[in-house]
């Protein structure tokens, strides 16, 4: 096996082999590269190699090689780039299909070419014998040899791709697409054997998927996308099976779909379920299981009525009529009557299996007290009662309703068949494709007519057996217009077998005997029991039972209360039990949720650890591979250099040649460089010597060439002179000839000159007239345009002038408004200053009054204590004059007070005051000490803009009132 430093080298080698016609060698080279353990890390060139590989496999029809290569490539790119595998497989499928179609187009007789029972079987013995006996192959056999191998290869391609993708969760869509294409292949070419094998392959894949749940990349069927893909594949399988009339395989496909639904515990969409039940109706009808066929129709009716909003009344009536007729088509007697225990058990299992497929839940152990099957079992009577209860019978057509009443409720032994026959003829004409239910096949009520004719015959025989004891065969044949008497006799045999009727046919006498006089017969077996029940019912009607008075109320007066309490206690106990159950279920759900979360976390950690480990291993393998490649490349270069050195200098380097394996790359490079330098020097010496020799040779050649060149030049001049004179003579002759021809042409055209001038004048005059008209129109248009533009300019100028005047007016108004506002602001400032001055003056007067009042109060206190305290001088503030109160309590005029400047020292300690009204005011003003007795000084000094509450506004009267009240206090 050849080894390549790069995968591209193998691809180049394969291309070279293909060009020389060695495809097998090219395929083997690529196969060795793909299966080699050296190239297990994915890289882009491998994808191109795989494309070339599958092309060679398809050209040579090598399915085994293709399978091996795809499996190896899946291992390479599973964890790195799965999309590359998908592209390669798609290319493989495309090439195989294209080749098969090309072969099919080349064949002229496709049906004969595909007349093979099994695509996987080898040649038959008769074909081999025919090929050796006949000297010339016929056209059919040539078509067989041309087309069949390619279809065999295409079938093998589908199997290979499905096998490769069966457990790959990332390529589920490609798996489903391949399965669909394989189904279409079987449908298009009527390959029933291959279709069965394909269904079995897909079934085994799903079984293995459920069996080995610990696989790393297995698809998760609980995911909605995966489930939808698998469901679509099964439904496509079911459709193709019914189209190919493979009813057994279709039933197995139905079981596959049902198993998949049970596995994931999730029902598909209503549209898919309608297809499911529609295919079931076809399967059960072919299998003559009319009861299950009717139940499947009932499911379709329920789904269409619930989910199909576009369902019309006509379609609903047709479906309901089909359900009723399907239910009536079921034979009215039980086939299990008189059967053995083993047959009953088998029938019970079959009923359970079919009920689960149809979607009905049955309890096999549930029976009524009389031992009869429960109404929940699948039976004809329960189906008819369900149709009535669910309103299906009301949706059916009138002919179907009349037929149902005649066959199930009416007793007309002589006229039953004659009344049923026109209804059946009307029903047989009803049917067609449903417009609003695309998933339901075409409904034709005529398919139920044979079964209904058989039912009408059975009903007629049953009713006649209750009325007549004997009847002639001819009369009975006339009463049954549907069948001849042998057919009626055959129908009656089955009814007699299951004890539906009791009759005998005496062909010797030509009569039919109804009933059986034996005591063990069905009519006499329960005769006495029925008589006793009837007599007991009549007696109860004649002598009704007397109701006795109950003594329970007298003996147990508190029974109602006790029962009520017990009932409440039981209800409370029930609610407690339900709460406990709910709590337990909630705890179980929480525990399951916690366990699931723990499992998910553990799985996630395990996957992360596995990914890290794989990444680390991949990195290590890459490093080792790169290091190994570098070492191998260096070793190859050293060997190459050593071989070149041996070839060039075998005598001077005997030691290195002998010890070649020990020579390193560096020493070889140095040796090569020194040899190259020496060779270059020798070469330069040789070139210098050769240049000198060539110089001498060139000078000698030029000396010898000079006279010869001059002689040749003179000879060439003479030849060119002669040639020039000859060419001039020829040109003169040709010019004379052309001149003569031109003169002749001029004389010929001179006759047309006058006509030409006349025509020219006409054209010129017409064009001048047109030009003058156009010029005049243009001047008028220009004048109008100039006029309109002039008017526009005037209008624009006027508008600009008006706008300018308006702007000046607005500007003047704004300036006047600003001046007015400025004047108002100055006036307002002036008024505020005057008002402030007035307020300051009022505050000063108020302070003066307060000081006088305080001085008077102090003197009164000192007089009461018998002391005389000299008033403490008041120290005035800088640049401030205050009015001093006189020592005596006399009034001093204002003009005198202003003239007396008084300086006050520190204020004396404030004496005790009796509780008076001004105390709260003092607290409000913040005068807790004598130094704080004058808050207005601080306000007036400008250090604080605040004002006392009594001066907020023009409140001069309030100030005087307040000061007077202080004085009175």
């Amino acid at each position: 096996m050849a080894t390549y430093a790069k995968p591209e080298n193998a691809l180049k080698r394969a291309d070279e082999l293909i060009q020389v016609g060695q495809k097998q060698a090219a395929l083997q080279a690529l196969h060795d590269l793909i299966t080699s353990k050296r190239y297990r890390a994915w890289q882009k060139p491998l994808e191109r190699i795989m494309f070339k590989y599958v092309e060679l496999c398809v050209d040579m029809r090598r399915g085994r090689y293709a399978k091996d290569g795809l499996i190896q490539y899946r291992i390479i790119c599973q964890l790195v780039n799965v999309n590359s595998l998908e592209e390669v497989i798609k290319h493989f499928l495309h090439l195989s299909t294209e080749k098969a179609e090309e072969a099919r187009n080349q064949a002229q007789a496709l049906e004969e070419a595909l007349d093979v029972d099994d695509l996987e079987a080898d040649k038959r013995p008769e074909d081999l014998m025919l090929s050796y006996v006949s000297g010339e192959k016929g056209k059919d056999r040539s078509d067989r040899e041309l087309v069949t191998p390619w279809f065999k290869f295409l079938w093998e391609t589908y199997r290979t791709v499905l096998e490769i993708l069966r457990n790959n969760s990332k390529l589920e869509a490609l798996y489903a697409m391949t399965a669909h294409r394989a189904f279409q292949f079987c449908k298009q070419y009527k390959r029933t054997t291959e279709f069965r094998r394909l269904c079995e392959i897909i079934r085994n894949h799903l079984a293995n998927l459920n069996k080995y749940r610990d696989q790393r990349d297995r698809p998760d069927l609980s995911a909605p996308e995966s489930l939808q893909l698998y469901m679509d594949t099964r439904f496509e399988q079911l459709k193709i099976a019914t189209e190919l009339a493979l009813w057994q395989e279709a039933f197995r496909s139905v079981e596959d779909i049902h198993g998949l639904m049970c596995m994931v515990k999730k029902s598909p969409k209503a549209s898919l379920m309608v297809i499911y039940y529609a295919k079931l109706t076809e399967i059960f009808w072919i299998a003559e299981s009319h009861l299950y066929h009717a139940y499947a129709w009932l499911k379709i009716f329920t789904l269409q009525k619930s989910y199909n909003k576009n369902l019309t009344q006509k379609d609903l009536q047709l479906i309901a009529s089909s359900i009723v007729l399907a239910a009536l088509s079921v034979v009215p007697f039980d086939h299990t009557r008189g059967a053995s225990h083993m047959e009953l058990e088998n029938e019970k299992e079959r009923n359970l299996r079919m009920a689960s497929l149809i979607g009905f839940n049955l309890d096999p152990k549930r029976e009524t007290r009389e031992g009869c099957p429960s109404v929940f079992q699948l039976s004809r009577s329960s189906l008819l009662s369900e149709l009535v209860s669910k309103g299906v019978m009301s949706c059916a057509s009138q002919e179907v309703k009349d037929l149902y009443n005649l066959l199930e409720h009416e007793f007309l032994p002589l006229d039953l068949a004659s009344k049923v026959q026109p209804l059946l003829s009307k029903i047989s004409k009803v049917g067609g494709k449903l417009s609003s239910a695309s998933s339901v096949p075409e409904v034709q009520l005529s398919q139920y007519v044979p079964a209904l004719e058989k039912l009408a015959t059975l009903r007629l025989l049953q009713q006649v057996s209750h009325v007549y004891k004997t009847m002639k065969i001819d009369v009975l044949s006339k009463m049954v217009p549907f069948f001849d008497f042998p057919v009626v006799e055959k129908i009656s045999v089955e009814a007699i077998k299951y004890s539906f009727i009791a009759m005998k046919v005496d062909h010797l006498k030509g009569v039919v005997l109804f009933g059986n006089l034996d005591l063990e017969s069905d009519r006499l077996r329960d005769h006495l029991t029925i008589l006793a029940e009837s007599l007991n019912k009549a007696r109860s009607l004649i002598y009704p039972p007397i109701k006795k008075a109950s003594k329970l109320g007298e003996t147990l007066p508190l029974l109602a209360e006790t029962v009520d309490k017990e009932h409440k206690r039981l209800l409370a106990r029930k609610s407690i039990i339900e709460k406990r159950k709910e709590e337990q279920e909630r705890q179980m759900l929480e525990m399951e949720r916690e366990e699931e979360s723990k499992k998910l976390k553990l799985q996630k950690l395990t996957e992360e650890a596995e990914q890290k480990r794989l990444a680390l291993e991949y990195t290590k393998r890459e490093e080792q591979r790169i290091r190994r490649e570098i070492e191998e490349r260096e070793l190859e270069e050293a060997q190459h250099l050593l071989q070149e050195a041996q070839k060039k200098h075998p005598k001077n380097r005997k030691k290195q040649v002998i010890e070649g394996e020990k020579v390193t790359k560096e020493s070889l490079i140095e040796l090569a460089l020194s040899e190259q330098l020496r060779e270059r020097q020798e070469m330069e010496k040789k070139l210098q010597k050769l240049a000198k020799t060539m110089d001498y040779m060139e000078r000698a050649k030029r000396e010898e060439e000079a006279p010869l060149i001059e002689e040749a030049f003179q000879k060439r001049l003479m030849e060119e002179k002669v040639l020039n004179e000859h060419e001039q003579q020829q040109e003169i002759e040709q010019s004379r000839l052309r001149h003569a021809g031109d003169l002749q042409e001029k004389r010929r055209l001179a006759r047309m000159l006058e006509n030409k001038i006349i025509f020219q004048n006409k054209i010129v005059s017409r064009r001048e007239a047109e030009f003058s008209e156009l010029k005049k129109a243009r001047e008028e248009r220009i004048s109008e345009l100039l006029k309109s533009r002039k008017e526009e300019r005037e209008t624009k100028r006027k508008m600009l002038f008006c706008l300018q005047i308006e702007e000046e007016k607005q500007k003047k108004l704004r300036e006047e408004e600003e001046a007015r506002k400025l004047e108002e602001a100055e006036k307002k400032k002036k008024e505020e200053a005057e008002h402030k001055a007035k307020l300051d003056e009022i505050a000063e007067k108020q302070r003066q009054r307060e000081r006088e009042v305080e001085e008077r109060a102090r003197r009164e206190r000192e007089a009461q204590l018998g002391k005389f305290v000299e008033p403490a001088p008041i120290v005035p503030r800088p640049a401030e004059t205050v009015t001093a109160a006189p020592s005596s309590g006399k009034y001093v005029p204002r003009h005198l007070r202003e003239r007396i400047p008084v300086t006050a020292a520190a204020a004396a300690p404030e004496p005790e005051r009796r509780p008076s009204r001004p105390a709260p005011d003092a607290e409000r003003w913040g005068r807790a000490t004598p130094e704080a007795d004058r808050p207005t000084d601080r306000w007036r000094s400008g250090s604080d803009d605040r004002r006392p509450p009594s001066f907020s506004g023009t409140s001069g009267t309030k100030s005087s009132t307040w000061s007077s009240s202080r004085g009175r206090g």
Side-chain angles (χ1 to χ4, degrees):
M1 182 176 67
T3 57
Y4 301 97
K6 294 181 180 180
E8 296 90 337
N9 299 338
L11 185 59
K12 293 178 182 178
R13 178 61 178 167
D15 292 334
E16 293 172 357
L17 291 172
I18 292 171
Q19 290 177 0
V20 297
Q22 297 182 7
K23 291 186 177 181
Q24 180 62 37
L27 180 63
Q28 188 64 42
L30 295 180
H31 183 268
D32 295 340
L33 177 75
I34 293 167
T35 56
S36 176
K37 295 182 179 180
R38 183 176 180 181
Y39 306 101
R40 287 299 175 89
W42 185 87
Q43 44 188 327
K44 188 64 177 177
L46 284 177
E47 185 175 349
R48 299 197 300 271
I49 290 172
M50 281 303 300
F51 280 125
K52 179 62 71 175
Y53 181 76
V54 297
E55 288 174 4
L56 288 172
C57 291
V58 172
D59 288 340
M60 303 175 68
R61 292 202 297 267
R62 299 299 175 88
R64 296 296 177 88
Y65 274 88
K67 186 175 182 180
D68 293 343
L70 289 173
I71 289 174
Q72 292 296 327
Y73 193 64
R74 180 187 64 181
I75 296 172
I76 291 171
C77 63
Q78 178 68 35
L79 300 175
V80 183
N81 189 0
V82 185
N83 295 328
S84 178
L85 176 63
E86 182 178 2
E87 294 297 327
V88 171
I89 290 176
K90 286 182 179 179
H91 187 62
F92 182 42
L93 289 172
H94 174 70
L95 290 176
S96 302
T97 308
E98 189 177 7
K99 287 290 185 180
E101 290 294 329
E102 184 180 350
R104 187 177 66 87
N105 294 331
Q106 292 177 0
Q108 297 181 2
L110 179 61
E111 295 297 330
E112 290 81 0
L114 293 177
D115 189 13
V116 182
D117 293 335
D118 190 356
L119 289 178
E120 296 183 7
D122 296 331
K123 289 186 177 180
R124 294 178 296 179
E126 55 267 28
D127 296 336
L128 294 174
M129 292 175 64
L130 184 62
S131 65
Y132 284 106
V133 171
S134 61
E136 232 179 67
K137 296 182 180 179
K139 183 176 181 302
D140 297 342
R141 287 168 52 216
S142 64
D143 291 340
R144 184 191 304 276
E145 290 186 358
L146 177 65
V147 179
T148 304
W150 279 112
F151 278 91
K152 284 184 178 181
F153 180 76
L154 181 59
W155 169 247
E156 188 177 356
T157 300
Y158 288 136
R159 291 193 59 176
T160 300
V161 174
L162 290 175
E163 183 67 24
I164 290 172
L165 301 176
R166 60 190 178 91
N167 289 331
N168 199 322
S169 60
K170 299 177 181 178
L171 297 177
E172 292 174 341
L174 184 59
Y175 179 86
M177 184 197 74
T178 307
H180 283 246
R181 292 177 67 173
F183 288 142
Q184 293 298 325
F185 168 78
C186 297
K187 173 187 173 183
Q188 184 178 1
Y189 304 112
K190 304 295 187 295
R191 308 310 307 175
T192 56
T193 306
E194 284 73 22
F195 180 77
R196 292 191 187 96
R197 286 182 181 156
L198 179 61
C199 295
E200 192 64 30
I201 288 169
I202 295 176
R203 199 173 291 119
N204 291 334
H205 288 175
L206 183 61
N208 293 331
L209 192 66
N210 295 324
K211 185 177 180 181
Y212 304 104
R213 294 179 177 273
D214 55 346
Q215 293 180 354
R216 182 174 57 187
D217 296 323
R218 65 179 295 275
D220 186 11
L221 294 180
S222 60
E225 296 82 3
S226 302
L227 178 61
Q228 186 64 34
L229 289 173
Y230 275 83
M231 280 292 182
D232 292 342
T233 303
R234 266 59 184 182
F235 275 102
E236 184 69 18
Q237 175 182 333
L238 177 59
K239 289 180 183 178
I240 302 302
T242 54
E243 290 176 3
L244 293 176
L246 300 175
W247 302 109
Q248 187 176 3
E249 197 60 43
F251 185 75
R252 296 185 69 185
S253 302
V254 168
E255 289 185 329
D256 292 342
I257 295 172
H258 182 262
L260 195 60
M261 287 191 292
C262 295
M263 187 187 305
V264 297
K265 297 179 181 180
K266 186 177 180 181
S267 180
K269 295 184 294 186
S271 59
L272 293 178
M273 292 306 297
V274 169
I275 298 174
Y276 173 80
Y277 290 118
K279 298 301 179 183
L280 270 179
T281 57
E282 297 181 28
I283 295 169
F284 287 139
W285 184 256
I286 295 297
E288 296 184 357
S289 299
H290 296 169
L291 179 62
Y292 306 131
H293 171 79
Y295 271 105
W297 264 116
L298 180 59
K299 278 290 184 180
I300 292 174
F301 177 81
T302 306
L303 288 171
Q304 290 288 340
K305 194 173 181 181
S306 301
Y307 297 102
N308 195 349
K309 297 180 180 180
N310 300 324
L311 191 67
T312 61
Q313 188 64 30
K314 183 179 179 181
D315 294 341
L316 186 66
Q317 182 180 358
L318 190 58
I319 295 174
S321 302
S322 181
I323 297 170
V324 176
L325 295 180
L328 291 175
S329 300
V330 183
V331 291
F333 46 81
D334 189 7
H335 287 276
T336 60
R337 185 164 185 173
S340 63
H341 178 71
M342 184 64 68
E343 291 176 352
L344 291 175
E345 290 296 325
N346 292 336
E347 184 67 21
K348 188 182 291 184
E349 291 180 1
R350 184 169 179 269
N351 280 336
L352 290 174
R353 183 180 174 188
M354 296 301 170
S356 64
L357 288 178
I358 300 171
F360 286 88
N361 296 322
L362 300 181
D363 189 1
K365 298 180 180 180
R366 184 172 181 178
E367 294 181 353
T368 57
R369 293 183 180 179
E370 291 80 3
C372 299
S374 172
V375 295
F376 293 90
Q377 299 292 333
L378 299 181
S379 62
R380 186 177 186 272
S381 58
S382 62
L383 175 60
L384 289 173
S385 61
E386 193 170 359
L387 294 182
V388 175
S389 63
K390 288 188 175 181
V392 180
M393 198 69 69
S394 61
C395 296
S397 60
Q398 188 61 39
E399 293 83 3
V400 175
K401 292 178 184 178
D402 296 341
L403 182 64
Y404 170 75
N405 291 326
L406 283 174
L407 295 177
E408 297 298 326
H409 299 294
E410 298 291 338
F411 186 80
L412 301 168
L414 299 177
D415 302 333
L416 181 63
S418 61
K419 291 186 178 182
V420 167
Q421 189 174 11
L423 293 176
L424 290 179
S425 62
K426 290 180 181 180
I427 289 172
S428 62
K429 299 176 182 178
V430 179
K433 182 69 177 177
L434 300 181
S435 60
S436 57
S438 59
S439 302
V440 180
E442 185 177 0
V443 179
Q444 294 293 341
L445 299 184
S446 58
Q447 65 178 345
Y448 301 107
V449 171
L452 293 173
E453 291 175 350
K454 181 179 178 182
L455 175 65
T457 304
L458 288 173
R459 289 297 185 194
L460 186 143
L461 292 174
Q462 183 186 26
Q463 293 177 9
V464 168
S465 66
H466 289 316
V467 176
Y468 296 95
K469 185 176 181 180
T470 60
M471 180 177 284
K472 291 184 178 181
I473 295 176
D474 298 337
V475 176
L476 185 60
S477 299
K478 291 178 182 179
M479 292 172 61
V480 183
F482 313 122
F483 309 110
D484 297 334
F485 186 74
V487 180
V488 175
E489 189 177 3
K490 185 178 180 181
I491 293 171
S492 62
V493 168
E494 187 179 6
I496 294 168
K497 177 182 177 182
Y498 294 107
S499 302
F500 183 68
I501 57 175
M503 61 177 287
K504 292 181 180 179
V505 181
D506 191 349
H507 288 280
L508 186 62
K509 296 180 180 180
V511 296
V512 178
L513 303 175
F514 295 102
N516 193 349
L517 300 178
D518 296 337
L519 292 176
E520 298 299 328
S521 65
D522 293 338
R523 295 183 62 186
L524 297 178
R525 185 169 53 189
D526 299 330
H527 183 70
L528 296 176
T529 305
I530 295 170
L531 178 62
E533 290 178 354
S534 302
L535 291 175
N536 191 16
K537 187 182 294 183
R539 179 181 175 280
S540 62
L541 291 174
I542 297 170
Y543 302 104
I546 301 172
K547 295 182 179 180
K548 297 180 181 180
S550 178
K551 299 180 180 180
L552 189 61
E554 298 177 0
T555 56
L556 298 173
L558 301 177
L559 181 60
E561 186 178 355
T562 305
V563 170
D564 191 14
K565 290 182 179 179
E566 186 68 18
H567 181 63
K568 290 181 179 178
R569 187 181 66 80
L570 291 176
L571 289 178
R573 183 171 178 272
K574 184 179 179 181
S575 63
I576 292 170
I577 291 171
E578 289 178 354
K579 287 181 180 179
R580 288 180 179 174
K581 285 183 179 179
E582 291 177 358
E583 184 66 23
Q584 187 177 4
E585 289 178 358
R586 187 181 61 79
Q587 291 178 359
M588 291 293 292
L589 288 174
E590 289 181 356
M591 292 174 63
E592 290 178 359
R593 197 178 295 111
E594 289 178 359
E595 290 179 359
E596 188 68 23
S597 62
K598 289 180 181 178
K599 287 181 181 179
L600 290 175
K601 288 181 181 178
L602 182 61
Q603 184 179 1
K604 188 176 180 181
L605 292 174
T606 307
E607 291 178 356
E608 290 178 355
E610 183 68 17
Q611 290 178 359
K612 290 181 180 178
R613 185 184 64 80
L614 291 174
L616 186 61
E617 290 181 358
Y618 175 73
T619 306
K620 289 182 180 179
R621 287 198 302 269
E622 282 293 314
E623 292 177 355
Q624 293 176 0
R625 182 182 62 79
I626 293 169
R627 194 179 297 110
R628 187 169 59 252
E629 288 181 356
I630 292 172
E631 292 176 356
E632 290 177 356
R633 194 179 298 111
E634 290 180 352
L635 182 60
E636 290 177 359
E637 291 177 357
Q639 293 290 343
H640 183 65
L641 292 174
L642 183 61
Q643 290 175 5
E644 289 182 353
Q646 291 175 358
K647 289 178 182 179
K648 291 181 179 179
H649 306 285
K651 296 181 179 180
N652 299 332
R653 298 292 179 266
K654 290 182 179 180
K655 185 176 180 181
Q656 285 77 356
V657 172
I658 294 171
E659 300 177 359
E661 295 297 330
K662 298 181 182 179
V663 175
T664 61
K665 181 182 178 182
E666 288 78 7
S667 62
L668 288 173
I669 291 173
E670 291 178 359
L671 178 63
L673 290 175
S674 61
E675 289 295 332
Q676 289 177 3
L677 182 61
R678 187 180 60 79
E679 289 176 359
R680 190 181 298 113
Q681 291 175 356
E682 291 178 356
M683 185 60 69
E684 288 178 355
K685 291 179 181 178
K686 289 180 180 179
L687 288 174
Q688 290 177 0
K689 186 176 179 181
L690 183 61
K692 188 179 292 185
T693 305
M694 292 296 293
D695 189 14
Y696 292 152
M697 290 290 295
E698 188 68 23
R699 186 181 298 113
K701 285 193 298 181
R702 291 186 181 183
E703 289 176 357
E704 293 293 331
E705 285 176 354
L708 297 176
I709 291 172
E710 181 66 24
E711 183 181 356
F713 177 71
Q714 294 297 331
K715 186 177 179 181
R716 180 69 176 171
L717 284 177
M718 295 298 294
E719 292 176 356
E720 287 182 354
K721 185 177 180 181
V722 173
L723 182 62
N724 187 22
E725 291 175 354
H726 180 68
E727 288 178 353
Q728 286 181 359
Q729 191 67 28
Q730 287 182 352
E731 183 66 25
I732 291 168
E733 292 294 332
Q734 290 178 1
S735 179
R736 288 176 181 172
L737 293 175
R738 283 198 299 271
H739 180 68
D742 292 342
L743 289 176
Q744 187 178 358
E745 185 70 17
K746 182 180 178 181
R747 285 193 297 270
R748 188 178 68 85
L749 297 176
R751 295 175 298 161
M752 302 169 60
L753 182 60
E754 294 179 359
N755 295 329
K756 175 250 182 188
I757 294 170
I758 294 169
F759 180 73
Q760 182 179 356
N761 293 333
K762 287 182 181 179
I763 295 296
V764 170
S765 61
R766 188 178 72 246
R767 289 184 180 178
E768 285 179 354
E770 291 177 356
F771 176 73
S772 60
E773 290 177 359
L774 292 174
K775 184 177 180 182
K776 184 178 180 181
R778 180 174 177 274
E779 289 176 353
E780 291 177 355
R781 190 169 59 255
I782 290 172
S783 61
E784 290 177 359
L785 185 61
L786 291 174
K787 185 178 179 181
S788 62
R789 288 183 180 179
K790 185 176 181 181
E791 290 177 356
E792 289 178 0
R793 284 197 299 272
E794 290 295 331
T795 306
K796 189 175 181 181
R797 191 180 298 111
K798 289 178 182 180
M799 288 178 65
L800 290 174
F801 180 72
C802 294
L803 290 173
Q804 186 176 2
I805 292 173
E806 186 67 24
E807 287 178 358
E808 290 177 357
K809 185 177 179 181
Q810 293 292 334
K811 183 177 179 182
K812 186 176 181 181
L813 290 174
R814 284 196 299 270
E815 290 176 355
E816 291 176 357
E817 183 68 20
E818 290 176 359
R820 187 181 59 79
K821 288 182 179 179
L822 184 61
E823 185 179 356
E824 289 179 356
E826 292 177 355
K827 185 178 180 181
K828 190 174 181 181
K829 287 181 181 179
K830 187 175 181 181
E831 290 177 354
E832 288 179 355
E834 293 176 356
H835 182 66
K836 185 177 180 181
K838 289 180 181 179
L839 290 177
D840 292 341
E841 185 179 354
I842 293 169
E844 180 62 28
K845 291 179 181 179
Q846 184 66 26
R847 285 194 294 274
Q848 183 65 28
R849 292 193 190 97
E850 288 177 358
R851 284 194 293 271
E852 290 176 357
V853 171
E854 290 174 359
E855 184 65 24
R856 191 181 302 114
R858 185 178 61 78
R859 289 179 181 176
E860 288 177 358
R861 284 196 300 273
E862 289 177 355
Q864 290 176 3
L865 295 173
K867 296 181 180 179
F868 176 78
V869 181
E870 188 176 356
I874 299 174
V875 180
R877 294 175 181 263
E880 182 183 11
T881 59
V882 298
T883 57
S887 58
S888 62
K890 295 181 180 180
Y891 173 75
V892 180
R894 181 177 177 182
H895 62 280
L896 297 175
R897 275 183 284 159
E898 292 176 354
R899 296 178 182 175
I900 303 172
V902 179
T903 60
E910 184 180 359
E912 293 183 6
R913 294 184 181 180
R914 65 178 182 273
S916 60
R917 184 171 180 176
D921 295 332
E923 292 176 359
R924 185 177 61 187
W925 288 94
R927 289 184 282 113
T929 57
E931 289 80 2
D933 284 344
R934 294 182 297 172
T936 53
D937 296 339
R938 185 171 66 253
W939 297 331
R940 187 175 57 189
S941 63
S943 61
D944 195 350
D945 293 337
R946 292 175 295 174
R947 296 290 184 271
S950 59
F951 299 138
S952 59
T954 56
S955 56
T957 55
K958 283 188 177 181
S959 301
S960 59
T961 307
W962 181 75
S963 61
S964 62
S965 64
R966 289 289 301 269
R968 287 195 300 271

